[in-house]
Structure formats: structure tokens, C-alpha cells
Amino acid sequence: MPAERAGYTVTMFLVDVSRSMGKLRAVELPPGPDGEERVAEITNLEWSLQFVKLKIQEMIYNGRKTDQCGVILFGSEETNNIINEKNGGYDNVSEYIPIAQPNANTLAKLHELQPSSTIGDPIDALIVGIETQANYLGTKKWTRKIVIVTDGDNPIEIEDWEAIVKKMDGLDITLTIVGVDFDDDEFPFIEEDKSHVKATNEKFFHTFVSAMKSGVIGTCALALRETNRPDIKQTRSALMETVLRVGDPDVRDAESIALSIKTCKCTAIGRPKSWKKFAIRPKEDTENVEEDAEEEEAENDQAIYAQLKMRTEYYVDRSEDQDEDEDIKEELEEEDLEELERKQKEKDESLEKVEKEELVRGFKYGTTWAPCPDGQFPRLPTMKGIDICGFFPSANFRRELSMGEVQYIWANPDLPQAQVALSSIVQAMDEKGSMAIARWVTKDGMDPKMGVLMPTSFEKVDCLLWAQMPFADDVRKYTFASLDHLVNKKGEVLESHPYIPTDAQIEAMDNFVDAMDLMQAGEKDEEGNRMPWFDPRLSYNPSVHRTKQSMFHCAVVKDLDADPLPPPHPELLKYFDPPKKVVKRAQGAVEGCKNVFKVRQVPKRVAKAKKDGHEHAAADDNDDMLLLDRKQPSTPRRTQQTQAQLRFTQTQKGSPSPLRALEKAKAAATRANPNDSDTEDDEDEADVSMVEVGGQATEEDDNILLLDKKPAPVKGIMEPPLVPSRSNGRSNPLPTPARSLSPPSRRPPNRELTRLSIEGDVDMVDGEANSTSEKGKAKDESQDSDWVMDIDPGRAPGRIIGSTWPLKDFKNNTSRGDVVTKAVEDLAWVITDIVTKPFAMKRADEMIECMKTLRNTCLHEDEIDAWNKFLREVRDKNTEFWDAVKKNGRGISLISSKEAQATGGTSEVTEIQAKKFVA
């Protein structure tokens, strides 16, 4: 089908409003919220008018001034047409909407149509439509279309219908007849109990259409379904004149070529229609209004919607503490006057409004602004035309670099010599298998575009295809390590590695790929051969067509609750699901891949309930376990409690062993409350009684626990130890102490443990345990002992900042200078992670100190955007923690543009916004 000319079309809609169009019919609606079936009763007129509205909405959607329409009613109560005014006759035919560009009022007038109490003749309406259209267009070479919408259930006059067909063919009019419940074998639909009048009229309409050069007839149900079909219309693009040059005609005229050419679009990008904002327009207050007028207005009170338009206002900060004038651009919507006044009052007094003409456009260069009074820098002295810069083999063309739309390059149709010359260039490039690099300038002085020219030959003409390509500076090249060539630290090439696939894995994947072949998964052709399942020409963008369908439906129906949006057209969902036979064929290959690659489903982790009846919520797949829920794996010849505690090293022979005291205290606590154990596994809860043998500790069941001077560190989270009391002989587990900013990794020798607490919190600071218990305090005997602590830094995989000592890790990494961005990102992640965990307020002061250091680093290391983004995210994580943050005031808020400017950075946050953020 040849491409149509976009626009320049007049369509006449002839709508039947006879009393027979008032018959009710049941229309199926989309299922309800609970999946129930729903049916609505509407008249045949309302049902058929949906087709007319959708066609008119298509014209409104395209927005072309040359795409116009008119509506003529037949079967109406009154008579109003140009033929009746001149010669009389043609009764009950009325010109309802004159020919013009359709708009929202056109649809509103169609909504008001109701069936009449009389009948009309579609042939009379057809003659009136032909005359009205011809009178409007005159001698214009526009496309003429006529659409008749009728149920065909009324008598019509069919005399001299051949003359009407001859007249329409002479004017090149395309006729479309949409019949309500007409028989259609394509749909298919056959109406039962059809009246004799309707059957006769249907037969005549088919004869009438078949006698025309361009005519079609169909049932209304099929027409409505086809209006929702996603379709890409082929339109003729306007030809633009330019010049194709090889060489430089101005410098070397004898060695150059200049051809007059025409360009037009080959493809065009389709995008969803943009949405617009509307609001209720407030009515102006009137004074001295009579009561009767007020009552009448209240009765006819209807909401009037108006489109909101954007406008831009410019302000300059004139405050004293502002080093330089800072432009603030604020976009406001044209709402009511009170809203604008309210927003104006909220502005700070230091902000001075300026007009756009007083400002100078500037471009950012690094951290500075380069003013440009003219609005743009001087352009290159370019010349209109397409210059061929060189040729290269077509095999070297990188298809992924092609960007944007494709253009046709034709020779000028009025210059035979140019056509022969361009055809020679095209055939030579095709024979050599070459493409050309070209530089295109649309107008003199415009920025040039680089692209490629590809030779293309059609049946009767040769041309070039233009595709825009990026400049060399716009292409970013990234290199990655090889996936199958691995080298270890010694420089040896690895032949076997988990990252290197085996022969069995390669074979299984090849079988899987072959099983998913879609080239022979489609329907069979005439010769019985399987066609490809996927055709790009029939694959449509759901965002474009579904958005269009929803907009059309909202414009057509009166009540969306009563008539909701129907489901998408089946053609739009055609390629959403793969063909069943391909899935079935690939099932064996899928199972083979699962077996070879050992693919297993990872079960969701479920936290085990405590024995004391307390339960913990199941952790999500991406969440870490709670701190107190983490346990170290049991190790032979050691108990779970011993591994998780601090290690004590005895420095003097014969002195009492702290480990022995700890074990005795644990045994006593277990005997006192056998149901309240510190661990969950029975095998880890075995009571081990210890005895001293030559200054060392051993077990009575011959399992010897060796305590060296410097035992091997145990990785993991430190649990609170059981501390013995010398006053009452009882032992109690201490609460988890808050981690200090300076973690004691190892205690110096001969440092005394001066105070121990029976109950209460213990803060470990510089070798002392300061108890806050209100009960008795016991003072341990001074012993020269060395404490060895090896605590897990709490670094998540891929992180360089741990949750144990985040501030220390951050300072260590930022001191290197090359991982500042990574350190900032990880510290922000650690702070966010900690404040979302239970008991986060125990580390609130520490986290705030980390935030202060992080903010200072981001300010001076040009990581301002990272800080502002982090602070907005952490605000919503923990309300109690954010209240503690706000107490620190402006010093921990967002980084404003004023602060950033002092350090050479940039920020989109104003000083006022930064103050309000922590207010």
C-alpha cells in the first residue's frame, strides 16, 4: 500500500440518528475487581458513535491543521443542509458540525446526540456530504473521505445510484460503511432474525461499495476492534533540498562533485504522547449579584478545567553573607492568585526578583562559569550540504553506533544528470561493498552532524540511506578482563577454575540456545515451511499504543467507572509470551543446564525461635541477621561460650586462671536456671568442669583445652562474657556495651582490671571497666595480665568500611586519597544500615560523629551530591535517630550552593532549603 500524504484530508461522517438506532444492546465490560463479569446496556447510537469519536480523536491526537472533518446527521428532526437551502428536498438531513479542525468541543457535541423519532435516508445524506465536501474544498487536491454509520433498518431510495458512484470516483472519494450488526465473514458475525428491510439494504450496500474504485464495508464490532489495533501508518515525508559534495568545489572545482539532492525521512521515532496538567478554574467573585441569579448559577454550577502552564521566575540572593550573586530558578504553575501570593510571601526578603532580560547566559567550565552575552558562542562557519569525507568497507560498520532516525538521500527529480551521477555513485559503492563517512549541515552556520551513507537500490531508483553516528569524543571505550583466560599471581594460565566452563557445561548451554531457536517457530507458509515466530515489523511499543488507547477511551466514554478501559488489543500482547511448543522443546535442555551447572533454589532464611519463648522476625533475603543472633560454628575441644569470649593469657605461673573462674560461674548459672541457657544447641550447652594442672586448665573428660601465651584469634562477633563476682559467687551476663570510637585492639601488659560489675553496663575505656550498677561493687585483685581481643570488623562483602569501627576505617581509607569516593559510599551505607537495626540509639552519638566527619569530607572532596542524597535517605529510616540529628542544627544539614562555592564545588540546594531541612 503506498504511503499516504500526512494531513490535507477532509472526512465527512454521516451518522444515522433514526429511531431504530435507539434500540438497546448489551455490551461486555472488563471484569470487575473480583473478576466478576460485567455487562452494560447502551443504545446502538451510543455504541456506533464510539467509532466516530475514536476516528475524530485520532485527528485531535495528531494535531494537524490540515486534518479536518465534518458531521452530517440523517434521520434528524430538523432539516439543515446546503442542497435543501438551494433546491429544497433532502429532508431530515442536517449539517450538525461544519467542516473544521476537530477539537474537544467536537467530541462534546457528539456526546449530546440522541435518537430521534423519525427516519432518514443514507443516500440523501451521502449526496449532501459529497456536495458539502466539494463546496468546501473547491479545486484543492486534498484527500476526500466519507464514512456512513447506520443500522440499515430503514427504507432507502436507490434510484440512479450508478451516477452517484461515478461522481464519487471522479472526485476520488473513499467510502467506508460501518453497519450496526451487519453480517461479516471476516469477523465473523451473522445476525439472526434479521428484518427484510435490513437484509435488502445490506445487499445493496455491498453492491454499491463493490462498484466503487475505493470503498469498504464492515460491521461495527470489527471496526471498533480495529480502531484499537496498534498500527504504524506510512506517511510521505516532505522533501528537503540540499547539496551532496565530494571534494571542495570552492578550492578545487575541477576535482570535486556537487549534486543537487532531496532528503526525506525513512524512519521516525515514535514516543508516547506527553501528559498535561489541568485544574479547576476558580470563578471570579462578583458583587451585588441578585439572589435569583445566584440560585440559577448554583443549579448550573459545573467545574471548569483549565490547563496549567509553566512559567519561570528568576531571583538573586542579595544577602551580605553571599560571596557572589546566586541565581535561583523556580518554576511555578499558573494556579489561582491566592496560591501565587502565598508562594511569594514565603520567599526570603533577601531574594530579589529580576527579569530574564537582565540575566546573561553562561556555560559551566569545570567549577567556573563562562558568560556568554549572545546566548551562545560563535558557531563554526559551516556551509549547508552533505560532504563525503571518505569511504570504508561495509564489513567495518559498527551497527551499535547508529543513532537516531534514518534519512533517504534522493537525486533531484527535475535534474536527469544529477540522477545519473548519484546512481553511478550508489552502484559503485554497492559493487565495492563500501559505505561513506559524511558530514551533514542542515543550514548555513548550523552545527554539523557526522554519519554514514549506505547504498540502496530499489526497482526503479537508486538512493543513499543516511544514519547519524557519534563523534569520536562521544564514544567511551571500556576494557574488561577476559572471562575464559585466567592467570594466577605467578603468571600461570589456569586450565581449571570455577570461572572456566567445562566441556559439559559448554555443550549444555549450546543445546539450550539451539532449543530456543525461533526462526522456525511461527506459522506455516503456502509451501508448508515454518516461518519465523518474531517479526519486528509487527512488534509494537506498549507504552506508545496503550497510552494512546487510554487517552482515546477517556475522551470517548462519559463515565470511566461505568465503562472502564478495555484490555489491550491482542496484537499488542502477541510477543509477550513465548510459543508453547518452543518452551516444551527447550524443557530438556533447561533441565540439562540445571544439572550440569548445579542450579539450586536458595531457601529463604528463617530465624530460629529462642527457647525462652521470645521470637525474632524472619530476616529478608537482603537483610543481615541481628547482631545477637549471629553464632560462631562449634569447634572441637572448645565450647561455644569459650570461643565467643575474650581470650585471657596467663602471665604468671601458679596464679588463678580467669578461664576456670568463668567456667565455674557458667556452670553455677546453668544449675540455677537450667531452662535459661545462652546457646540454642544442646551439644554446645555441655557443662564442663575445669581443674588446674600446673597452672593450666584441663577438662575432666580428658579433653584438654590448651591456653598458649598468644592463642590464635577467633573471628566473629564478641558476645558479652560472664563475669564472676567475689561477693556472692553469682555470675550474670552483661549487656552488650556500646562500641567506642577508639577500639582497644590489644591491652598493654601489666594493666589492672580495677572494677568489675555484677549487674549494669560496663564501658571499656583505656583498660578500665567502669560500672554503673547501684548494687555492691567488687574490686578484683591486681593481676598482670595481657588481654587479647580479635573482633570482626563487620565489613560486608565488597565494602571497605566495617560496622564495628566505621570512623576508624573511614579515616584510614580517606588518608590514602585514591578511594575517597568508595569510602564515602560505604560509610553512608554503614550508617544507614546501623540506624535501621534494633537498638540503633545505643550508637546514635557515634553515628552522628561519623556523619560530621563524612560531611566535612564530602564538602572538601567534591562529593556533595553523595552527601545530600545520603542525608535525604537516612531521614526516613529512623525517626528517633533523625530527632537526634536535628539537635546538631545547621552544621549537619544539606550542603548548600554557598558552602560548595567556597570549596570550588556545586550544589542545587539553597541556603534556605538547607536550614529548613533540619528545622
Side-chain angles (χ1 to χ4, degrees):
M1 183 181 67
E4 296 181 358
R5 186 183 183 188
Y8 300 95
T9 303
V10 171
T11 305
M12 299 300 299
F13 292 98
L14 314 181
V15 181
D16 188 359
V17 293
S18 303
R19 59 171 175 263
S20 60
M21 294 291 285
K23 294 181 181 178
L24 295 177
R25 65 183 301 113
V27 178
E28 295 183 0
L29 299 178
D34 299 331
E36 68 275 8
E37 297 181 357
R38 297 190 296 176
V39 177
E41 286 190 352
I42 58 176
T43 62
N44 286 337
L45 178 60
E46 293 175 335
W47 186 57
S48 59
L49 276 177
Q50 293 184 15
F51 174 78
V52 179
K53 295 174 184 176
L54 290 172
K55 286 296 182 181
I56 294 178
Q57 179 65 16
E58 180 79 28
M59 303 176 189
I60 301 174
Y61 184 82
N62 295 330
R64 299 188 184 99
K65 294 182 179 180
T66 56
D67 205 356
Q68 302 177 3
C69 71
V71 178
I72 294 178
L73 308 179
F74 61 95
S76 59
E77 302 287 351
E78 64 277 354
T79 301
N80 178 22
N81 58 79
I82 59 175
I83 300 180
N84 178 268
E85 293 175 357
K86 294 180 181 180
N87 305 321
Y90 297 90
D91 297 332
N92 303 113
V93 178
S94 176
E95 185 178 3
Y96 186 61
I97 300 177
I99 299 175
Q101 182 186 2
N103 51 32
N105 293 329
T106 307
L107 298 176
K109 295 191 69 176
L110 291 176
H111 281 314
E112 299 173 357
L113 286 178
Q114 296 293 333
S116 66
S117 59
T118 183
I119 61 174
D121 191 339
I123 299 299
D124 290 348
L126 180 61
I127 296 174
V128 172
I130 295 172
E131 189 67 21
T132 305
Q133 191 180 61
N135 183 58
Y136 178 80
L137 290 177
T139 59
K140 293 181 180 179
K141 300 294 183 179
W142 283 31
T143 302
R144 307 182 185 206
K145 296 181 179 181
I146 293 181
V147 179
I148 300 178
V149 180
T150 180
D151 61 355
D153 210 3
N154 298 299
I156 59 177
E157 294 290 338
I158 59 175
E159 296 181 359
D160 299 330
W161 64 270
E162 294 89 351
I164 300 175
V165 171
K166 186 177 180 180
K167 176 71 172 179
M168 296 179 69
D169 289 344
L171 295 174
D172 292 331
I173 297 177
T174 301
L175 176 64
T176 301
I177 299 179
V178 179
V180 178
D181 294 333
F182 277 20
D183 295 344
D184 196 324
D185 296 334
E186 182 182 354
F187 186 50
F189 175 79
I190 302 295
E191 184 183 8
E192 300 178 356
D193 301 331
K194 185 177 298 185
S195 65
H196 177 70
V197 174
K198 186 172 184 179
T200 304
N201 290 341
E202 273 192 54
K203 185 177 180 180
F204 165 73
F205 283 136
H206 280 279
T207 304
F208 188 92
V209 168
S210 61
M212 294 185 60
K213 291 191 302 185
S214 179
V216 64
I217 184 173
T219 185
C220 185
L222 177 62
L224 286 174
R225 192 185 72 176
E226 291 303 305
T227 53
N228 293 327
R229 173 186 289 273
D231 186 23
I232 300 177
K233 291 186 177 180
Q234 296 183 1
T235 57
R236 290 180 294 176
S237 176
L239 295 175
M240 307 298 293
E241 187 175 2
T242 185
V243 180
L244 176 66
R245 291 184 291 265
V246 181
D248 192 348
D250 296 336
V251 179
R252 297 181 179 180
D253 188 18
E255 302 177 1
S256 61
I257 302 175
L259 302 177
S260 177
I261 59 173
K262 299 280 188 177
T263 65
C264 64
K265 287 186 177 182
C266 175
T267 61
I269 300 176
R271 295 185 176 90
K273 204 72 171 180
S274 60
W275 299 95
K276 298 178 181 179
K277 291 183 178 181
F278 288 82
I280 299 178
R281 177 181 293 171
K283 296 183 179 180
E284 299 179 358
D285 296 335
T286 56
E287 298 179 358
N288 301 326
V289 180
E290 297 181 1
E291 295 182 359
D292 296 341
E294 292 181 354
E295 293 178 358
E296 182 179 357
E297 182 180 0
E299 293 177 357
N300 301 327
D301 188 13
Q302 295 182 355
I304 301 177
Y305 286 83
Q307 181 181 350
L308 300 179
K309 298 181 179 179
M310 306 297 294
R311 90 177 172 196
T312 304
E313 295 182 357
Y314 299 89
Y315 292 84
V316 177
D317 193 351
R318 300 291 188 181
S319 57
E320 298 179 357
D321 56 348
Q322 188 75 10
D323 296 336
E324 298 180 3
D325 293 342
E326 176 187 6
D327 295 343
I328 301 178
K329 177 179 179 181
E330 181 175 352
E331 295 184 352
L332 301 176
E333 294 181 355
E334 283 193 35
E335 300 174 4
D336 52 87
L337 184 60
E338 296 180 358
E339 184 69 12
L340 292 176
E341 291 179 354
R342 184 185 64 81
K343 293 183 178 181
Q344 189 68 24
K345 291 180 181 180
E346 290 180 355
K347 295 184 180 298
D348 193 89
E349 296 180 356
S350 61
L351 298 180
E352 178 182 349
K353 182 179 179 180
V354 296
E355 299 298 331
K356 183 179 179 181
E357 292 74 13
E358 301 178 13
L359 303 176
V360 176
R361 181 180 294 274
F363 296 89
K364 190 174 183 181
Y365 183 76
T367 58
T368 60
W369 291 89
C372 184
D374 297 334
Q376 62 182 5
F377 292 104
R379 294 182 177 273
L380 295 174
T382 54
M383 186 189 313
K384 178 182 178 180
I386 301 176
D387 295 275
I388 295 180
C389 304
F391 299 89
F392 67 95
S394 301
N396 297 339
F397 173 63
R398 297 178 59 182
R399 181 65 179 82
E400 70 274 10
L401 295 183
S402 177
M403 48 192 289
E405 301 172 345
V406 180
Q407 302 268 356
Y408 282 119
I409 309 296
W410 311 95
N412 195 324
D414 300 329
L415 300 176
Q417 292 183 349
Q419 297 177 25
V420 174
L422 182 64
S423 179
S424 301
I425 295 175
V426 171
Q427 293 182 24
M429 293 173 62
D430 191 21
E431 182 179 352
K432 295 293 185 181
S434 300
M435 299 175 66
I437 301 176
R439 180 175 181 264
W440 192 346
V441 179
T442 56
K443 293 182 181 180
D444 291 341
M446 293 296 291
D447 296 334
K449 299 178 181 178
M450 296 301 298
V452 294
L453 295 175
M454 184 177 67
T456 304
S457 298
F458 294 100
E459 184 177 356
K460 297 181 179 180
V461 66
D462 296 329
C463 67
L464 295 169
L465 291 181
W466 154 276
Q468 186 178 353
M469 304 286 283
F471 289 93
D473 295 341
D474 297 332
V475 180
R476 300 290 184 266
K477 297 181 181 180
Y478 299 97
T479 57
F480 299 93
S482 175
L483 297 177
D484 56 0
H485 185 75
L486 301 181
V487 181
N488 59 14
K489 296 180 179 180
K490 299 179 180 179
E492 300 173 350
V493 178
L494 300 179
E495 300 293 340
S496 177
H497 192 273
Y499 294 163
I500 300 177
T502 62
D503 295 339
Q505 292 174 342
I506 294 176
E507 182 180 1
M509 185 54 64
D510 289 341
N511 296 335
F512 177 59
V513 174
D514 294 339
M516 293 191 299
D517 186 10
L518 301 175
M519 295 305 295
Q520 296 182 354
E523 301 295 334
K524 293 182 179 180
D525 57 7
E526 298 177 355
E527 299 178 358
N529 300 323
R530 286 285 182 180
M531 301 291 291
W533 175 73
F534 180 78
D535 189 349
R537 296 171 298 179
L538 302 178
S539 177
Y540 306 98
N541 189 342
S543 64
V544 175
H545 299 281
R546 185 61 170 166
T547 301
K548 178 181 175 181
Q549 181 186 1
S550 63
M551 295 176 67
F552 283 20
H553 184 78
C554 294
V556 168
V557 301
K558 297 181 180 180
D559 187 2
L560 287 176
D561 294 332
D563 191 0
L565 180 67
H569 193 275
E571 285 293 322
L572 196 61
L573 309 176
K574 184 176 182 179
Y575 296 119
F576 272 38
D577 298 320
K580 296 181 179 179
K581 54 186 175 183
V582 176
V583 176
K584 183 178 180 181
R585 183 179 61 192
Q587 191 64 33
V590 172
E591 295 298 330
C593 286
K594 288 183 178 179
N595 296 332
V596 173
F597 289 96
K598 299 180 181 179
V599 179
R600 298 290 183 271
Q601 183 178 2
V602 180
K604 189 175 182 179
R605 293 182 305 179
V606 180
K608 189 183 297 184
K610 290 289 185 180
K611 289 188 176 181
D612 54 1
H614 296 286
E615 297 182 356
H616 294 278
D620 294 337
D621 294 340
N622 297 328
D623 294 341
D624 293 332
M625 296 179 62
L626 298 179
L627 178 63
L628 298 180
D629 289 341
R630 298 181 182 178
K631 298 192 303 178
Q632 300 302 316
S634 59
T635 304
R637 314 176 75 86
R638 290 174 174 84
T639 61
Q640 181 76 12
Q641 182 68 22
T642 307
Q643 293 180 11
Q645 293 175 352
L646 296 176
R647 295 299 185 91
F648 295 90
T649 302
Q650 200 69 20
T651 57
Q652 294 183 0
K653 289 186 178 181
S655 60
S657 173
L659 184 58
R660 178 188 178 191
L662 289 175
E663 293 298 336
K664 288 185 176 181
K666 175 186 174 181
T670 304
R671 288 190 295 269
N673 189 0
N675 296 326
D676 187 12
S677 60
D678 298 321
T679 57
E680 301 175 14
D681 299 331
D682 295 337
E683 58 182 275
D684 294 334
E685 296 176 356
D687 185 17
V688 181
S689 58
M690 310 296 294
V691 296
E692 282 192 3
V693 179
Q696 301 292 336
T698 182
E699 300 177 356
E700 292 182 343
D701 58 355
D702 297 334
N703 293 329
I704 302 176
L705 176 63
L706 299 179
L707 295 178
D708 300 331
K709 291 292 184 179
K710 295 181 179 180
V714 177
K715 302 293 184 180
I717 301 299
M718 182 182 69
E719 295 183 0
L722 295 173
V723 182
S725 173
R726 296 186 181 275
S727 58
N728 54 13
R730 296 188 299 108
S731 59
N732 296 286
L734 296 177
T736 303
R739 296 188 178 91
S740 62
L741 298 181
S742 301
S745 60
R746 185 180 297 274
R747 288 191 179 275
N750 300 328
R751 187 62 67 99
E752 293 182 341
L753 180 64
T754 55
R755 295 186 182 93
L756 293 175
S757 173
I758 302 173
E759 297 177 359
D761 295 340
V762 177
D763 296 333
M764 307 300 297
V765 181
D766 294 336
E768 294 184 356
N770 299 325
S771 174
T772 59
S773 173
E774 297 180 358
K775 296 183 179 181
K777 299 180 181 179
K779 184 176 181 181
D780 194 5
E781 299 178 359
S782 299
Q783 299 183 17
D784 294 334
S785 61
D786 184 16
W787 283 34
V788 180
M789 296 198 321
D790 194 343
I791 302 176
D792 182 14
R795 297 189 186 97
R799 302 289 179 179
I800 62 176
I801 305 296
S803 59
T804 306
W805 304 304
L807 188 59
K808 178 182 178 181
D809 292 348
F810 181 73
K811 291 181 178 180
N812 292 339
N813 283 282
T814 53
S815 61
R816 295 168 51 186
D818 56 343
V819 291
V820 175
T821 302
K822 177 64 174 174
V824 168
E825 176 187 352
D826 288 2
L827 182 58
W829 182 88
V830 168
I831 296 175
T832 306
D833 182 67
I834 291 177
V835 299
T836 56
K837 293 294 181 65
F839 312 107
M841 293 307 297
K842 288 190 175 183
R843 303 184 66 182
D845 295 339
E846 178 188 354
M847 292 301 102
I848 293 176
E849 189 68 26
C850 292
M851 292 174 64
K852 293 179 179 179
T853 305
L854 178 61
R855 186 183 191 277
N856 183 65
T857 303
C858 292
L859 178 62
H860 293 85
E861 296 293 343
D862 197 17
E863 298 289 343
I864 298 173
D865 293 340
W867 165 261
N868 292 341
K869 178 182 178 182
F870 153 72
L871 201 61
R872 290 187 178 99
E873 293 177 353
V874 79
R875 175 181 57 180
D876 303 328
K877 299 297 183 181
N878 188 328
T879 305
E880 186 179 2
F881 176 76
W882 182 250
D883 293 339
V885 172
K886 291 193 297 184
K887 294 180 181 179
N888 293 268
R890 173 67 183 85
I892 203 172
S893 183
L894 299 172
I895 299 178
S896 64
S897 55
K898 176 184 175 182
E899 296 177 286
Q901 189 176 7
T903 58
T906 58
S907 175
E908 298 179 355
V909 180
T910 64
E911 185 66 24
I912 298 176
Q913 293 173 342
K915 292 179 181 179
K916 291 182 178 180
F917 192 77
V918 293

